[in-house]
Amino acid sequence: MIQTLKSVRHLATAAMNYRVSEFRVPVPWGEIRGRIWGPENGRPVLCMHGWSDNSGSFNSLIPLLPSDWRCLAIDLPGHGFSSHRPAGVFYGFPYYVADVRRVIEAVQWKRFSAIGHSMGGSIAAMFSALYPEMVEAVVLLDSFGFLPACKKEINNIIRKGMNEMIEYEKKMGDRKERIYTYESAKERLKATNPFLSDQSAQSLLERGVKQVDGGVVFSRDIRINLTNIARMDLEQCLDLQAQIKAKVLLLRANQGLIKVFPQPEDLFEPIQKGWEDKSTIVTVEGDHHIHLNDPAVVAPIITDFLQSVTPEDTANQAAK
């Protein structure tokens, strides 16, 4: 089912007075942090941000969702207030999926829904394929879900990522963190992501910088910029996509990833066809950070979709 929405009138939701608290769970190398909204017995919804962002990515959206939902937005390792991975350890989708599994174990959710933006959508899709019995519904916010690499290029990609890590490690002792004023950090963030509004940049900076003598430094791990060596070819991505039993909403922005980060047609089209066969696809007017810049556009769509999913139906589907 494919829909294109040119405008969506925001309807008042039940979300008015959210209880918000800081979330932290220990992991072997430190802790995973985040924020959690709503009552303890509320419908569990896990929110995963995109590359280089943090849980502040959902600060504008979650208050517009039903207030009886239990929304947990995490800082993925290397982002926000979560610990960086140990020295010598790479970042990549399978490792993030393992992090999500740790979080779900800590909060003891048996089944939950997931909202993933950009890279967070890829993590949500992979988790849903590996643990289909745990996921009721998935919202992929301006995300391809799977990003296959050309099979002939995977060796070169892995080699490139390993070489980058070695070069990074050679310079570790000489590297000094750049100190910014808050305003210059905000301008730096907006320069790398010109779609962000001033308010959206401030939401990300709440957890995106930390105070030091003389100003602030960015909290993210610079290693997240290195080439991801955990890559899959098209066949592997399609195999994973086929394993997803959850209901899926592909919520795209017409000025988002498809326009600014186009994919090779021979890799994109089969993935797109796979989503068309099993998903509701909705396109709205907006940019890659539509959920942060203009959440009133997407909040009603997400609410309607998740409320249409009954846990019993998805549990039966996952058991097949």
Side-chain angles (χ1 to χ4, degrees), residues 147-199:
L147 274 174
C150 176
K151 194 170 187 176
K152 294 180 180 179
E153 292 298 319
I154 289 180
N155 284 359
N156 292 333
I157 293 170
I158 295 174
R159 174 181 171 131
K160 183 173 185 286
M162 290 181 174
N163 287 343
E164 288 174 356
M165 178 68 88
I166 290 170
E167 290 303 310
Y168 167 84
E169 291 169 349
K170 284 180 182 178
K171 300 173 183 177
M172 281 181 63
D174 300 327
R175 182 174 286 106
K176 293 182 180 179
E177 289 185 298
R178 181 174 176 182
I179 299 175
Y180 298 83
T181 65
Y182 178 83
E183 285 302 318
S184 64
K186 183 168 68 173
E187 291 309 309
R188 170 66 177 166
L189 179 60
K190 291 177 68 176
T192 58
N193 192 334
F195 293 112
L196 289 176
S197 68
D198 207 59
Q199 183 177 350

Side-chain angles (χ1 to χ4, degrees), residues 12-44:
T13 69
M16 291 295 171
N17 298 309
Y18 255 115
R19 290 185 298 162
V20 185
S21 59
E22 186 71 8
F23 172 83
R24 16 185 8 143
V25 59
V27 292
W29 64 92
E31 62 181 2
I32 294 176
R33 298 273 297 270
R35 300 183 80 201
I36 192 160
W37 285 256
E40 290 186 9
N41 62 347
R43 176 179 184 163

